[in-house]
């Protein structure tokens, strides 16, 4: 007894395909549904994200109960590529278990979710994390890892969004890559630093409070002759002396404290102890504070990236 | 006809891409839009060249500002192409 | 006796304090240039 039906639905300009089966036994209605769809810019209209590529496959068993649909199923994502306001992500992949009970949607990953590259102005590579639990409002992640600035970032667990400051460990960060972020370089740096950054993950913002960094090996600092430093030096004798003593520095002790507000303002205070080999190993204590809006910096780097991409692709430059 | 009159009469409106758009295609409106957009393109090119960024970046930034500054009651176009009054 | 010049490293470290605040050029300059386009005499907006 009972009736059964099959249905397939195609969305041509998205090349998506949905197949569903249903059977009615008594007054229970149940069946299976599967969706396969490439992720394309066409389907991103109105979204704040533009899908540049990827394949989504989902399937599940469903049941219609009096308090709404029940679905138990899984989601698989491969070769995800997207652009989110200039931030580009590529090589996204992962498998998720999904359960829908009426209004309640829960997701959890089967194995790690990975992303080959996330370019925020500086590349973050080989991201890995496990999605412990998500209900589309809060996402609880664990075993988070990523390569950044020549070193890596690691966190046992992170909730997003959350007002709490959750510690992330960073290590082997190579200062020459950090120095390369300077839009007009004043200093060259070498050596590795590490430490921890308590992060507050807002819905679309990140803040740091009480971050600490220290050198993981001897470092080196080289002051580069640049318009700003020579202008300063010309100003007065004391500045000239300071710049000379800083010209080359072998650093034995580097301590930094970092704070960044959700709107991107970074305040860093650095204390460096070292010697200047060119000044008869003159001992130097260098207290340096740095204030900069990191969001604007990364955005100007992304604009910079776009210019270099155009130059590399030999696109015609308007007006040149 | 001045740009402000054309906007006031709902013939033209600002668009996210930084260029003026025709809302009601009267001959006068079409001619005004063509003329204004040529002048804007020249201005955007100059700014792009002086700051070493692309024309599109200048135009998009100008578009955001133009929509922000459009007075209430005039037409502005939404990212998905609809004309709405501010 | 001949004067002896001892070349020892100076004991007292030299302390340098440097405070840097970076305002980003490109975006601010571009916005300023665009704002100028909105001035009344340009009649472009």
């Amino acid at each position: 007894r009972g009736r059964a039906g099959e249905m397939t639905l195609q969305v041509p300009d998205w090349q998506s395909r949905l197949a569903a089966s249903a059977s009615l036994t008594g007054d229970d209605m149940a069946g299976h549904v599967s969706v396969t769809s490439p992720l394309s810019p066409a389907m991103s209209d109105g979204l704040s994200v533009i899908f540049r590529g990827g394949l989504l496959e989902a399937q599940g068993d469903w049941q219609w109960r009096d308090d709404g649909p029940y679905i138990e199923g899984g989601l698989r994502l491969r070769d995800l590529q997207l652009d989110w306001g200039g931030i580009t992500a590529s090589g996204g992949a992962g498998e998720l278990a999904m359960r829908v009970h009426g209004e309640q949607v829960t997701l959890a990953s089967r194995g790690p979710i990975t992303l080959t590259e996330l370019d925020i102005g500086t590349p973050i590579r080989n991201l890995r994390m496990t999605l412990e639990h998500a209900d589309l409002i809060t996402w609880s992640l664990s075993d988070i890892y990523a390569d950044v600035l020549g070193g890596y970032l690691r966190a046992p667990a992170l909730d997003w969004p959350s007002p709490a400051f959750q510690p992330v460990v960073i290590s082997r960060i190579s200062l020459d890559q950090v120095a390369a972020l300077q839009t007009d370089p004043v200093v060259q740096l070498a050596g590795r630093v590490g430490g921890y950054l308590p992060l507050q993950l807002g819905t679309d913002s990140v803040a740091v409070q009480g971050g600490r960094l220290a050198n993981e090996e001897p470092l080196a600092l080289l002051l580069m002759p640049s318009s700003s430093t020579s202008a300063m030096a010309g100003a007065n004798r004391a500045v000239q002396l300071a710049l000379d003593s800083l010209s080359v520095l072998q650093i034995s002790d580097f301590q930094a404290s970092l704070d960044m507000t959700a709107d991107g303002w970074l305040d860093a205070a650095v204390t460096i102890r070292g010697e200047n080999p060119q000044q008869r190993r003159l001992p130097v204590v260098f207290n340096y504070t740095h204030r900069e809006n990191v969001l604007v910096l990364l955005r100007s780097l992304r604009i910079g990236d776009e210019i270099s991409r155009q130059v590399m692709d030999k696109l015609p430059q308007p007006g040149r | 006809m001045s740009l402000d009159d054309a906007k006031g009469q709902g013939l033209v409106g600002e668009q996210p891409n930084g260029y003026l758009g025709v809302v009601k295609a009267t001959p006068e409106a079409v001619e005004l839009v063509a003329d204004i957009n040529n002048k804007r393109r020249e201005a955007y090119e100059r700014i792009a060249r002086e700051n070493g960024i692309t024309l599109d970046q200048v135009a998009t930034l100008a578009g955001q500002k133009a929509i922000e500054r459009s007075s209430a009651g005039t037409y502005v176009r939404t990212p998905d192409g609809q004309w709405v009054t501010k | 006796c001949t004067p002896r010049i001892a070349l020892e490293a100076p004991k007292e470290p030299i302390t340098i304090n440097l405070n840097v605040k970076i305002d980003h050029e490109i975006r601010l300059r571009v916005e300023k240039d665009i704002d100028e386009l909105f001035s009344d005499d340009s009649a472009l907006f």
Side-chain angles (χ1 to χ4, degrees):
Chain A
R1 218 175 57 69
R3 283 179 309 258
E6 289 282 332
M7 182 191 77
T8 60
L9 168 74
Q10 239 112 10
V11 182
D13 49 12
W14 291 1
Q15 296 143 30
S16 323
R17 200 179 153 287
L18 179 140
S21 69
S23 58
L24 185 63
T25 44
D27 45 24
D28 280 348
M29 177 95 122
H32 188 76
V33 61
S34 75
V35 175
T36 34
S37 175
L39 297 170
S40 63
M43 62 186 4
S44 332
D45 287 350
L47 296 179
S48 60
V49 161
I50 303 168
F51 292 116
R52 297 256 183 250
L55 182 66
L56 171 70
E57 289 157 323
Q59 37 67 33
D61 296 312
W62 62 273
Q63 239 181 28
W64 195 272
R65 295 198 187 146
D66 32 37
D67 59 354
Y70 271 58
I71 304 174
E72 297 268 350
L75 221 64
R76 203 158 77 93
L77 202 58
R78 271 185 294 117
D79 311 328
L80 172 70
Q81 261 198 306
L82 58 83
D83 185 324
W84 179 49
I87 294 176
T88 54
S90 57
E95 270 194 50
L96 298 172
M98 182 177 72
R99 183 180 307 127
V100 176
H101 283 194
E103 308 277 315
Q104 251 299 332
V105 176
T106 54
L107 292 167
S109 72
R110 295 181 183 133
I113 298 171
T114 57
L115 192 60
T116 315
E117 178 162 314
L118 181 67
D119 184 356
I120 58 169
T122 185
I124 299 176
R125 292 200 178 86
N126 306 324
L127 283 94
R128 252 195 343 267
M129 64 193 75
T130 302
L131 177 64
E132 293 295 333
H133 168 78
D135 57 9
L136 301 189
I137 300 162
T138 353
W139 300 67
S140 303
L141 304 166
S142 65
D143 304 332
I144 299 106
Y145 175 91
D147 289 329
V148 64
L149 291 170
Y152 61 81
L153 165 152
R154 193 192 291 277
L158 288 172
D159 285 343
W160 172 70
S162 162
F165 281 92
Q166 307 170 78
V168 164
V169 170
I170 54 176
S171 182
R172 308 295 302 150
I173 301 296
S174 88
L175 285 181
D176 61 351
Q177 294 201 25
V178 174
L181 296 176
Q182 296 170 86
T183 33
D184 97 65
V186 167
V187 70
Q188 253 182 340
L189 296 163
R192 306 260 175 178
V193 295
Y196 67 91
L197 299 172
L199 294 188
Q200 180 189 56
L201 301 175
T203 22
D204 53 12
S205 69
V206 178
V208 175
Q209 208 169 66
R212 306 285 301 168
L213 285 181
N215 57 317
E216 293 177 340
E217 61 190 28
L219 312 175
L221 176 146
L222 185 69
L223 212 56
M224 310 224 318
S226 85
S227 49
S228 39
T229 44
S230 43
M232 280 202 296
N236 67 49
R237 194 62 206 97
V239 172
Q240 181 59 52
L241 175 64
L243 292 177
D244 288 347
S245 44
L246 279 178
S247 54
V248 180
L249 215 52
Q250 283 163 339
I251 297 166
S252 51
D253 181 33
F254 167 101
Q255 302 290 333
S257 73
L258 295 166
D259 293 286
M260 186 178 78
T261 55
D263 58 3
W265 278 104
L266 169 76
D267 272 302
V270 180
T271 306
I272 287 178
R273 285 185 179 74
E275 279 179 0
N276 185 328
Q278 286 174 350
Q279 307 254 338
R280 298 198 322 278
R281 292 178 46 245
L282 167 74
V284 175
V285 173
F286 179 32
N287 300 314
Y288 171 72
T289 68
H290 185 95
R291 180 165 167 74
E292 179 169 15
N293 191 301
V294 172
L295 295 184
V296 176
L297 167 68
L298 292 175
R299 204 175 311 126
S300 66
L301 288 171
R302 286 201 298 277
I303 291 181
D305 285 353
E306 207 178 322
I307 297 174
S308 47
R309 249 199 308 277
Q310 280 197 359
V311 167
M312 272 189 296
D313 305 345
K314 300 286 179 296
L315 287 177
Q317 284 281 299
R320 280 222 173 77
Chain B
M1 178 203 307
S2 80
L3 176 56
D4 290 340
D5 299 342
K7 281 187 177 176
Q9 294 160 28
L11 301 176
V12 300
E14 292 299 344
Q15 303 179 116
N17 62 10
Y19 294 99
L20 200 59
V22 174
V23 182
K24 275 196 215 60
T26 68
E28 247 186 330
V30 171
E31 198 203 328
L32 176 71
V33 165
D35 171 47
I36 294 275
N37 283 343
N38 275 333
K39 289 188 185 128
R40 285 190 186 179
R41 190 169 297 110
E42 275 160 28
Y44 294 159
E45 266 182 5
R46 175 178 53 77
I47 295 176
R49 206 170 34 249
E50 280 163 11
N51 292 286
I53 59 175
T54 64
L55 179 69
D56 296 346
Q57 279 147 359
V58 178
T60 326
L61 202 52
Q64 275 166 13
K65 284 184 178 294
I67 290 180
E68 269 159 36
R69 289 167 184 242
S70 291
S71 29
T74 61
Y75 276 105
V76 289
R77 195 166 222 167
T78 60
D80 49 20
Q82 261 104 29
W83 283 109
V84 294
T85 53
K86 191 141 176 232
Chain C
C1 65
T2 55
R4 200 171 57 77
I5 300 164
L7 273 179
E8 301 123 12
K11 293 289 162 291
E12 260 327 294
I14 173 170
T15 299
I16 297 159
N17 301 323
L18 177 61
N19 304 316
V20 167
K21 177 175 192 296
I22 300 206
D23 274 320
H24 278 285
E25 290 301 317
I26 292 190
R27 183 160 182 119
L28 301 174
R29 231 183 15 237
V30 172
E31 283 188 16
K32 192 172 63 55
D33 295 350
I34 290 178
D35 286 344
E36 275 149 26
L37 295 185
F38 283 85
S39 62
D40 300 342
D41 50 32
S42 78
L44 282 183
F45 287 90

